[in-house]
Amino acid sequence: VITGLDFVVCVLQVFNDPIHGHIELHPLLVKIIDTPQFQRLRSIKQLGGAYFVYPGASHNRFEHSIGVAHLAGQLGQALKTKQPGLNITDRDILCVQIAGLCHDLGHGPFSHLFDAMFIPRARPGTEWRHETASLDMFDHLVESNGLQDVMEQYGLILPEDRTFIKEMIHTDNNNDQEWPYEGRTEDKSFLYEIVSNKENGIDVDKFDYFARDCYHLGLPNNFDHCRFLTFARVCEVNGRRYICVRDKEEDNMTEMFHTRLCLHRRAYQHKVTKIIETMITDAFLKADRHIWIEGSGGNMFTLSTAIGDMEAYTKLTDAVFEQILNCAFNAPQELRDARNILRRIINRDLYRFLGETRFEDPTEVCTNVFVCLFCITLSTINMDYGMNDEDPINHLYFYSEHDTTHAFRRRPWQVSRIRPTHFSEQLVRFVCRRYADMDNFKQWCRANGFPEYQVIYINNKHSLVLIGS
């Protein structure tokens, strides 16, 4: 297959993907894929601890990233074909594909477990997210593999395009400028919505992981991303261009956000998934000071400090689980304690789930003396449609069949009466780390007049209440 990027003729490489079928990738994307920094994603589970609950959830960040690059190219090409006046160039599309390919380079072992559960406890006060690590890893990938010249050979203009790629992967957008980006001018604002959409959360990253995760989890996916690609158009609103969709696609887009909620309920925030991820986090914390990784200049880093050195971080994958699990019998006590926690996962001797409740405003106030005495862990789980308490459809622009240039948002009187009226909730969960603690807890309850329980909940006065069995 031959395509033209400006004056360069490229032969596309074909990949066979279980979700998208045969996909064709630009040779520059293949150059990026064939680097240690990208190949590392083969060893990072897409769904972290969910693989211990769903046997099919063995897929990795590697194939997801390739899928996002493919969909980014499809959406860019669809907009270019339908609306030549947007002046989308092959260079724009290639940059968008690179951003899709590299957007998850910064994930650590077991994906979100590392940055959402381990780092906050290992390094309190450290503001670190995998998105910012993706930017650092992208720079490291380009520089350590000498890809600057290759990028220019394929028609990219540096540093402009490199800045554009990084802005699409992640940007804080905390400044007050009218147009905060440097990679592209405001007339191409819609390009920033393709990979990571800050306006309404509708982007190709979600398109791929909804389809891929549902496929490997064995769950239905009622959202059809191909229809979005078909009906997507760019319209101008108040001087800025946004990606819009046909008004008749409202139900399909609602299904997208409902699919997100279902995946969180049934897989990502599954109670056993979170228990296992809590156990892995506890093991990582105990092993932190005893796992050493060589980084740049021969410097050594631990699990929690490797995030500051991309050469060391490149070597940090899910394999650390096996490294801890197979540590020597004469290893330091903390490392042996970590090994014992992971053995409990392997032997299915998990922390005990005590109960959960929905609570309007769970805070640390509700972790009272019961929690401190009996090693009970309290965790809060947020469930929403992607925009906290808001209906994300309210942030989406539509166009009609009769006027494809005029964008509008859904009017209040157009909202179906059977649609949800609340779009978020918080769960409070209680987990007991050791059986002995649970037995002591029950004995204490009996001694103090509490019946044996099935469910724990918090009443309006923020006190712990046990429900009799």
Side-chain angles (χ1 to χ4, degrees):
V1 180
I2 306 296
T3 185
L5 176 62
D6 298 330
F7 59 88
V8 182
V9 177
C10 308
V11 179
L12 304 184
Q13 186 162 329
V14 179
F15 289 74
N16 187 10
D17 182 72
I19 307 303
H20 307 298
H22 291 89
I23 61 180
E24 300 168 344
L25 294 184
H26 188 281
L28 179 55
L29 301 180
V30 179
K31 290 280 187 183
I32 293 172
I33 290 171
D34 294 338
T35 62
Q37 293 75 24
F38 192 88
Q39 292 292 319
R40 164 183 178 271
L41 298 180
R42 289 184 184 271
S43 301
I44 296 177
K45 287 285 180 292
Q46 173 82 5
L47 299 186
Y51 183 38
F52 290 96
V53 179
Y54 288 89
S58 59
H59 55 306
N60 304 306
R61 291 280 162 186
F62 179 85
E63 50 266 38
H64 164 63
S65 297
I66 292 176
V68 175
H70 166 66
L71 291 179
Q74 278 202 323
L75 181 52
Q77 190 62 50
L79 295 175
K80 178 184 178 182
T81 302
K82 285 184 284 191
Q83 297 177 267
L86 297 175
N87 298 319
I88 301 174
T89 65
D90 288 341
R91 184 162 63 94
D92 291 334
I93 294 175
L94 182 56
C95 287
V96 171
Q97 286 187 287
I98 294 173
L101 188 68
C102 299
H103 78 287
D104 272 350
L105 286 176
H107 269 294
F110 295 91
S111 292
H112 291 287
L113 176 154
F114 191 79
D115 63 334
M117 299 176 71
F118 171 68
I119 290 297
R121 291 177 62 188
R123 301 182 62 177
T126 300
E127 292 187 9
W128 182 88
R129 298 169 59 190
H130 75 269
E131 292 92 345
T132 54
S134 293
L135 302 181
D136 295 336
M137 187 64 83
F138 177 69
D139 284 336
H140 179 57
L141 182 153
V142 171
E143 291 160 12
S144 63
N145 294 282
L147 292 185
Q148 300 97 320
D149 293 340
V150 179
M151 294 169 81
E152 290 178 334
Q153 288 171 10
Y154 283 109
L156 298 192
I157 299 174
L158 303 181
E160 175 186 320
D161 286 341
R162 185 163 163 180
T163 299
F164 177 43
I165 292 166
K166 292 173 67 175
E167 288 174 339
M168 285 188 287
I169 293 173
H170 177 67
T171 184
D172 287 329
N173 263 354
N174 288 329
N175 55 46
D176 296 327
Q177 299 176 351
E178 274 192 36
W179 181 244
Y181 301 109
E182 300 177 5
R184 289 294 185 273
T185 53
E186 193 170 1
D187 64 313
K188 292 191 175 180
S189 56
F190 58 91
L191 293 176
Y192 287 92
E193 299 179 23
I194 294 177
V195 174
S196 179
N197 190 339
K198 301 297 189 296
E199 295 293 329
N200 50 43
I202 299 172
D203 52 50
V204 296
D205 178 24
K206 291 183 181 63
F207 294 175
D208 183 84
Y209 81 68
F210 288 167
R212 195 172 302 275
D213 292 355
C214 286
Y215 175 84
H216 288 279
L217 289 166
L219 300 177
N221 175 22
N222 294 323
F223 169 65
D224 184 357
H225 67 265
C226 293
R227 286 188 65 87
F228 182 89
L229 298 180
T230 301
F231 290 106
R233 288 186 66 86
V234 173
C235 299
E236 189 169 312
V237 181
N238 298 325
R240 184 169 293 182
R241 292 173 168 177
Y242 296 92
I243 297 177
C244 309
V245 70
R246 267 287 300 278
D247 48 4
K248 69 175 184 177
E249 289 304 297
E250 180 183 338
D251 286 340
N252 189 37
M253 304 316 300
T254 301
E255 280 298 332
M256 187 196 103
F257 294 108
H258 186 254
T259 297
R260 179 188 185 277
L261 178 64
C262 290
L263 283 168
H264 274 271
R265 284 189 186 281
R266 300 179 66 179
Y268 309 156
Q269 308 293 348
H270 188 286
K271 64 183 181 182
V272 181
T273 296
K274 299 310 293 182
I275 285 174
I276 289 172
E277 290 187 342
T278 299
M279 295 179 74
I280 295 172
T281 301
D282 288 347
F284 282 5
L285 289 167
K286 289 182 178 294
D288 187 16
R289 297 188 301 115
H290 307 285
I291 302 293
W292 293 96
I293 306 162
E294 185 176 355
S296 57
N299 295 315
M300 303 301 290
F301 299 87
T302 65
L303 289 180
S304 61
T305 60
I307 61 177
D309 184 275
M310 288 301 106
E311 188 171 327
Y313 195 54
T314 301
K315 303 172 184 176
L316 187 56
T317 67
D318 290 3
V320 70
F321 184 101
E322 299 293 334
Q323 185 179 352
I324 297 170
L325 189 64
N326 298 319
C327 71
F329 282 97
N330 60 350
Q333 184 61 49
E334 282 189 315
L335 193 55
R336 283 181 282 154
D337 290 343
R339 179 188 63 197
N340 291 338
I341 294 174
L342 298 187
R343 281 181 174 174
R344 287 184 62 180
I345 296 175
I346 298 301
N347 295 325
R348 215 61 179 182
D349 177 20
L350 306 179
Y351 295 168
R352 182 68 64 89
F353 177 75
L354 299 181
E356 71 177 27
T357 182
R358 287 166 178 79
F359 188 68
E360 254 182 61
D361 184 25
T363 65
E364 292 302 320
V365 176
C366 54
T367 59
N368 60 12
V369 67
F370 296 89
V371 178
C372 300
L373 283 175
F374 299 105
C375 198
I376 295 174
T377 299
L378 176 147
S379 61
T380 59
I381 306 295
N382 293 314
M383 300 281 191
D384 58 50
Y385 275 65
M387 300 195 75
N388 300 320
D389 294 327
E390 297 185 63
D391 182 354
I393 295 295
N394 291 337
H395 294 263
L396 174 61
Y397 284 108
F398 297 95
Y399 68 88
S400 71
E401 179 183 15
H402 307 291
D403 187 354
T404 60
T405 62
H406 173 66
F408 58 89
R409 284 183 170 155
R410 187 177 62 176
R411 282 84 165 178
W413 53 267
Q414 295 174 311
V415 179
S416 170
R417 293 185 179 181
I418 60 173
R419 288 285 172 81
T421 55
H422 295 86
F423 298 92
S424 70
E425 66 177 2
Q426 289 182 305
L427 305 180
V428 183
R429 288 177 177 168
F430 294 84
V431 173
C432 185
R433 280 182 163 82
R434 294 190 293 270
Y435 286 117
D437 293 318
M438 192 171 180
D439 291 337
N440 290 336
F441 190 33
K442 286 184 177 181
Q443 291 173 13
W444 186 93
C445 291
R446 295 190 195 106
N448 287 273
F450 288 104
E452 293 192 27
Y453 58 89
Q454 289 179 331
V455 181
I456 293 181
Y457 74 92
I458 300 171
N459 67 11
N460 294 331
K461 296 181 180 178
H462 291 186
S463 59
L464 198 65
V465 178
L466 303 178
I467 301 300
S469 56

